[in-house]
Amino acid sequence: MKKKRKVTKSVARNAFYAQSGGVSAVINASACGVIETARKHRNRIGNLYAGRNGIVGALTEDLIDTGKESAAAIRALRHTPGGAFGTARYKLKGLDKNRAEYERLIEVFRAHDIGYFFYNGGNDSMDTAHKVSQIGVELGFPITCIGVPKTVDNDLPFTDQCPGFGSVAKYIAVSTLEAALDVASMARTSTKVFVLEVMGRHAGWIAAAAGLAGHRAGDPPHIVLFPEIPFDQAKFLERVKQCVTDYGYCVVVVSEGASYPDGKFLAEAGTKDAFGHTQLGGVGPVVADMVRANLGFKYHWAVADYLQRSARHIASKVDVEQAYAVGKAAVELALKGHDAIMPIIRRRSAKPYRWTIDYVPLAKVANVEKHVPREYITEDGFGITAACRRYLEPLISGEDYPPYRNGLPVYAELRLSPVPRKLSTTFVV
Amino acid sequence: MKKKRKVTKSVARNAFYAQSGGVSAVINASACGVIETARKHRNRIGNLYAGRNGIVGALTEDLIDTGKESAAAIRALRHTPGGAFGTARYKLKGLDKNRAEYERLIEVFRAHDIGYFFYNGGNDSMDTAHKVSQIGVELGFPITCIGVPKTVDNDLPFTDQCPGFGSVAKYIAVSTLEAALDVASMARTSTKVFVLEVMGRHAGWIAAAAGLAGHRAGDPPHIVLFPEIPFDQAKFLERVKQCVTDYGYCVVVVSEGASYPDGKFLAEAGTKDAFGHTQLGGVGPVVADMVRANLGFKYHWAVADYLQRSARHIASKVDVEQAYAVGKAAVELALKGHDAIMPIIRRRSAKPYRWTIDYVPLAKVANVEKHVPREYITEDGFGITAACRRYLEPLISGEDYPPYRNGLPVYAELRLSPVPRKLSTTFVV
């Protein structure tokens, strides 16, 4: 006979979860981890509310009652891309500049008896979570704040990788491999240079992942352009020409953040529209046109944009598992009494790949950006080294296909039931 | 005891197979069907030679001996994108204009005792196959010519769909669904309009496939722009605005062939680079910039380009099966004595979807383009009708995942052994 634990109802407090910043193929897997784990601890966590459109939902008291979602719907979050509760590009200002925002958050949390704050995002969000923790104490409303790491850019420090990155990395590696086969087969009489633009404004991790597509010397991608390496046009064009001579074609993968030595983005190359306005084109067409103008090769270019970070259909199994794990760990760590921390992924072994969950203080994470180290980039600046490959390969391993119906993935559909408002005050974002 | 069939060695003649035009995720599945079926009839088909880089390989006597490839390598073609033997954008001129090319083909075919010509391509290729059949007779070297249909554009007549289309359709429908979830979750504070450019210079079939992503009124994609419908800027912008008001965001899918009533492509909208050269941008950025300039919404755009037609990782199972089937049928029909025909797919039933292989004379196929019929497009010109959905849905059904190793698909690697040349003459393409 099982021993019945004595549950004091009044001990349970509510929790708040929000998604922040750009979404990924697996941020909902983290949400799934948070919600399913919270549901296992009803004696400690009463209701779990999600912010509609992220932190904006908290500020405007627009909360979603995740308790109204079925277990099946929550389970389906694990294989659903995008941000199911809505997210926000909204950075809270510094405490000195806009203390009102933080006070408003505490006002809403107090009204709904929210004792736990789970914030699923990148760098800025970890900073926000840290500040909320501090201000809560100051205002006499202590709240447990846990950051849940997420960013396709992979630029958070301490964690071996950021959930979201492994899947976009897999998408880019697979797409590069496939498109390169296309170009290789056409090159004799058609396209000789193919340019793929990938995300990564400051860190070139996603571009680096394209490098996984090639295994031997001469394999595409022949050139990867990183934000970490100042762009040298002459050297680049020389290499393109050499590739076309040697292999018959050239596949180029370029980070959106690739820039000239003076720090100017290639994408701001000064293309103007018919009215003289600067055209905000992507860097992909800029690089392709540079090849055309200087070398005259027939080219094609692709810009994957949102397709890359929402491509749940080709998510990395490791990434999905890690995204879920950091969500689960966030709740478990909170219940163990931790505060102002972020769960991280620690690599225990490379081959076979083994990882565990650890954690670091939010104070150490906030506003630190992890770039691709120089030793991960080949000496010529155009490719990835063996060390980089060893780091990246495990992160894209395994497939985790969503279920399909009539040829399309079946993604979660939530009710998104609003929590009745308790405050008479409003807040304009 | 098995009865041993008497095989007269001299009966067997060699065969030639070539890939033509833009490749697809499943053109190699057709190659697989041709080669595996030919291997089952060694008493009739001796060696099967493939043209290196398509018909260019035939003209330059640059042939690949497919007999040197292992059974496993040939089997792997079924799940490998691109054109494994190389393809060519090379249209043979009319007989009156360049008879020398046709005579050269026959010269090479005669030298290698090639009695069968399997040509895997679209419209132009069917025309070529037809002409080769005619000229062979004229030159006293009769050769059995069979077209194997392939084109992601789905614009070949008679066949229910063109192998290659179902897979790009699936990729575009899945990508639209996924990217739309991304945009929906960000729209409150970020991107409100997302534009995806897809292939289709003259026929809007691929754009139509994006329509499969939405099931209910208001579901994305909210606007599909077809080459078949003259672009009305005022009406388009009005609709974008309405969508943002009603749904908070707007997803637009645009065919590269979308054009103004005067026939001018939207892509030629007159964007100039810093030097005043017309910028060959895609239509995606042009449409996105139109939205920005007139409505001021924050936007993102993606251009899938080659990614869409090489995306074997998300191929349609039906498409793979049909691609293989037309390759197989081509050989079987040739051996039954048919000539100057193309196998086609005939839909026998919509629900459940059932299809069989039939065939039509090449003469009827050549140079006929199948467009999206008006009744497949909603009255407002911005979406697909229920009839279109009924047509498209079976074509993207089923998944047929390639095998993976270390996170990446394992695609076929061929030896591509050259066939020793027999001619002393050369031919410059």
Side-chain angles (χ1 to χ4, degrees):
Chain A
M1 200 179 139
K2 278 189 186 167
K3 230 165 81 180
K4 206 169 159 188
R5 257 205 288 175
K6 196 181 161 194
V7 176
T8 317
K9 184 74 184 166
S10 64
V11 169
R13 291 183 70 197
N14 298 323
F16 174 79
Y17 165 81
Q19 303 180 321
S20 176
V23 292
S24 80
V26 302
I27 183 172
N28 287 331
S30 291
C32 179
V34 167
I35 299 169
E36 289 191 344
T37 310
R39 285 183 175 192
K40 283 184 186 146
H41 298 275
R42 289 189 203 272
N43 57 327
R44 305 279 304 281
I45 296 177
N47 298 311
L48 177 62
Y49 300 144
R52 194 183 303 271
N53 302 311
I55 202 71
V56 169
L59 291 166
T60 57
E61 206 197 350
D62 192 356
L63 308 178
I64 292 162
D65 188 353
T66 70
K68 297 282 164 67
E69 311 293 345
S70 70
I74 296 303
R75 203 179 312 123
L77 284 178
R78 191 174 162 121
H79 64 251
T80 301
F85 303 103
T87 173
R89 284 220 180 277
Y90 188 85
K91 187 180 176 176
L92 272 75
K93 295 190 187 73
L95 271 171
D96 46 330
K97 289 202 182 132
N98 200 343
R99 193 178 172 90
E101 284 183 335
Y102 294 92
E103 290 178 351
R104 171 64 179 179
L105 282 181
I106 299 298
E107 183 189 13
V108 172
F109 291 162
R110 197 190 295 268
H112 291 276
D113 190 25
I114 287 165
Y116 305 93
F117 175 50
F118 300 107
Y119 205 29
N120 203 171
N123 252 300
D124 291 348
S125 313
M126 296 307 122
D127 184 48
T128 300
H130 185 223
K131 292 214 181 83
V132 169
S133 164
Q134 294 174 306
I135 200 84
V137 174
E138 257 185 62
L139 296 176
F141 185 78
I143 179 166
T144 300
C145 296
I146 314 278
V148 185
K150 174 268 345 173
T151 160
V152 294
D153 291 329
N154 201 37
D155 59 356
L156 279 171
F158 304 108
T159 186
D160 187 54
Q161 73 115 323
C162 303
F165 170 66
S167 293
V168 71
K170 187 180 185 92
Y171 172 90
I172 291 298
V174 171
S175 297
T176 301
L177 174 65
E178 292 180 330
L181 287 172
D182 189 313
V183 182
S185 53
M186 305 285 298
R188 175 70 173 77
T189 54
S190 183
T191 300
K192 291 200 167 35
V193 179
F194 176 69
V195 180
L196 172 61
E197 172 184 328
V198 304
M199 286 180 161
R201 206 74 178 157
H202 305 291
W205 291 108
I206 298 178
L212 291 173
H215 285 86
R216 287 154 305 201
D219 276 1
H222 307 101
I223 300 176
V224 177
L225 299 174
F226 301 88
E228 286 86 354
I229 305 287
F231 181 70
D232 179 335
Q233 178 166 328
K235 198 173 143 198
F236 166 71
L237 291 170
E238 187 48 49
R239 177 61 63 93
V240 171
K241 207 173 143 189
Q242 195 61 49
C243 286
V244 173
T245 305
D246 293 350
Y247 317 120
Y249 68 108
C250 181
V251 172
V252 181
V253 175
V254 55
S255 265
E256 57 177 341
S259 31
Y260 289 102
D262 64 1
K264 201 175 140 189
F265 287 124
L266 266 70
E268 305 169 73
T271 306
K272 300 206 185 294
D273 67 15
F275 309 97
H277 302 131
T278 297
Q279 176 79 5
L280 288 175
V283 64
V286 167
V287 169
D289 199 59
M290 190 185 291
V291 168
R292 178 199 59 74
N294 292 279
L295 304 172
F297 293 130
K298 185 165 168 13
Y299 66 85
H300 258 247
W301 53 266
V303 177
D305 195 61
Y306 287 165
L307 270 51
Q308 68 200 283
R309 70 178 195 193
S310 59
R312 181 61 184 82
H313 72 271
I314 187 67
S316 147
K317 189 167 196 285
V318 161
D319 192 33
V320 173
E321 285 167 357
Q322 293 180 341
Y324 185 91
V326 292
K328 178 170 178 274
V331 175
E332 290 174 346
L333 287 165
L335 292 179
K336 278 184 189 154
H338 290 279
D339 181 31
I341 55 143
M342 176 183 90
I344 59 167
I345 296 144
R346 216 176 263 297
R347 185 179 295 219
R348 296 296 176 185
S349 145
K351 265 196 178 182
Y353 179 57
R354 275 199 302 266
W355 54 276
T356 52
I357 296 290
D358 201 342
Y359 60 90
V360 290
L362 285 174
K364 288 176 79 174
V365 179
N367 303 318
V368 181
E369 241 178 25
K370 186 176 74 177
H371 292 259
V372 180
R374 190 60 186 85
E375 65 267 27
Y376 277 13
I377 301 173
T378 50
E379 208 178 321
D380 63 11
F382 289 142
I384 62 168
T385 60
C388 186
R389 178 178 295 275
R390 277 195 299 278
Y391 165 68
L392 290 172
E393 213 163 55
L395 308 183
I396 68 163
S397 66
E399 294 69 54
D400 187 60
Y401 300 119
Y404 279 73
R405 190 168 53 223
N406 296 329
L408 288 172
V410 184
Y411 289 137
E413 298 202 18
L414 303 185
R415 295 160 178 244
L416 303 177
S417 308
V419 176
R421 289 175 203 271
K422 301 207 170 189
L423 297 170
S424 53
T425 50
T426 57
F427 190 91
V428 179
V429 172
Chain B
M1 199 179 138
K2 277 186 186 169
K3 228 166 76 179
K4 206 170 163 187
R5 258 203 287 174
K6 195 180 163 198
V7 176
T8 316
K9 184 75 185 166
S10 65
V11 169
R13 291 183 70 198
N14 298 324
F16 174 80
Y17 165 80
Q19 303 181 320
S20 176
V23 292
S24 80
V26 302
I27 183 171
N28 286 332
S30 290
C32 179
V34 167
I35 299 169
E36 289 191 342
T37 310
R39 286 183 175 192
K40 284 184 185 149
H41 298 276
R42 290 189 201 271
N43 57 329
R44 304 280 304 282
I45 297 178
N47 298 312
L48 177 62
Y49 299 144
R52 196 184 303 270
N53 303 311
I55 202 71
V56 169
L59 291 166
T60 57
E61 206 197 349
D62 191 357
L63 307 179
I64 293 162
D65 188 353
T66 71
K68 297 282 164 66
E69 310 293 346
S70 69
I74 296 302
R75 202 179 312 122
L77 285 178
R78 192 176 162 119
H79 64 251
T80 300
F85 303 102
T87 173
R89 284 219 180 280
Y90 188 84
K91 187 181 176 174
L92 272 74
K93 297 191 187 71
L95 272 171
D96 47 330
K97 291 204 180 130
N98 199 344
R99 193 177 173 90
E101 285 183 335
Y102 294 92
E103 289 177 351
R104 170 66 178 178
L105 282 182
I106 299 298
E107 184 189 12
V108 172
F109 291 162
R110 197 190 294 266
H112 291 275
D113 191 26
I114 286 165
Y116 305 93
F117 175 52
F118 300 107
Y119 205 30
N120 202 171
N123 251 301
D124 290 349
S125 313
M126 297 307 122
D127 184 48
T128 300
H130 184 224
K131 292 212 181 84
V132 170
S133 164
Q134 293 173 307
I135 200 83
V137 175
E138 257 185 62
L139 296 176
F141 185 78
I143 179 166
T144 299
C145 296
I146 314 279
V148 185
K150 174 271 345 174
T151 160
V152 295
D153 290 329
N154 201 36
D155 58 357
L156 280 172
F158 304 108
T159 186
D160 186 53
Q161 72 114 326
C162 303
F165 170 66
S167 293
V168 71
K170 187 180 184 91
Y171 172 89
I172 291 299
V174 171
S175 297
T176 302
L177 174 64
E178 292 180 332
L181 287 172
D182 189 313
V183 182
S185 53
M186 303 286 298
R188 174 70 172 78
T189 54
S190 182
T191 301
K192 290 200 167 35
V193 178
F194 176 69
V195 180
L196 172 62
E197 171 183 328
V198 303
M199 286 180 160
R201 207 75 178 157
H202 305 291
W205 290 108
I206 299 177
L212 290 173
H215 286 86
R216 287 154 303 200
D219 277 1
H222 306 103
I223 301 177
V224 177
L225 299 175
F226 300 88
E228 287 86 353
I229 305 288
F231 181 69
D232 178 335
Q233 178 167 327
K235 199 174 142 196
F236 165 70
L237 290 170
E238 187 49 50
R239 177 60 63 94
V240 171
K241 206 172 142 189
Q242 194 62 50
C243 286
V244 174
T245 304
D246 293 350
Y247 316 120
Y249 69 109
C250 181
V251 172
V252 180
V253 175
V254 55
S255 265
E256 56 178 341
S259 31
Y260 289 102
D262 64 2
K264 200 174 141 190
F265 287 125
L266 266 70
E268 306 170 73
T271 305
K272 299 206 186 293
D273 67 16
F275 310 97
H277 303 129
T278 296
Q279 175 80 3
L280 287 175
V283 63
V286 167
V287 168
D289 199 58
M290 189 185 292
V291 168
R292 179 199 59 75
N294 292 279
L295 303 172
F297 294 130
K298 185 168 175 359
Y299 65 85
H300 259 245
W301 52 267
V303 177
D305 195 61
Y306 287 164
L307 270 51
Q308 69 201 283
R309 71 179 195 193
S310 59
R312 181 60 184 81
H313 72 271
I314 187 67
S316 147
K317 190 167 197 285
V318 161
D319 193 32
V320 174
E321 285 168 358
Q322 293 179 341
Y324 185 91
V326 293
K328 178 170 179 272
V331 175
E332 289 174 347
L333 288 164
L335 293 179
K336 278 185 188 152
H338 291 279
D339 181 30
I341 55 142
M342 175 183 90
I344 59 167
I345 296 144
R346 217 176 262 298
R347 185 178 297 219
R348 295 297 177 184
S349 146
K351 266 197 177 182
Y353 179 57
R354 275 199 302 265
W355 56 276
T356 51
I357 296 289
D358 201 344
Y359 60 90
V360 290
L362 285 173
K364 289 177 77 175
V365 178
N367 304 317
V368 181
E369 241 179 26
K370 186 176 75 176
H371 292 259
V372 180
R374 190 60 185 86
E375 65 268 25
Y376 276 14
I377 301 172
T378 50
E379 210 179 319
D380 62 11
F382 290 141
I384 63 168
T385 61
C388 186
R389 178 178 296 275
R390 278 195 298 276
Y391 165 68
L392 290 172
E393 213 163 54
L395 307 183
I396 67 163
S397 66
E399 293 69 54
D400 187 61
Y401 300 119
Y404 279 73
R405 190 169 53 223
N406 296 330
L408 288 172
V410 184
Y411 290 136
E413 298 201 18
L414 303 186
R415 293 159 179 246
L416 304 176
S417 308
V419 175
R421 289 175 202 273
K422 302 208 168 188
L423 297 171
S424 53
T425 50
T426 56
F427 190 92
V428 178
V429 172

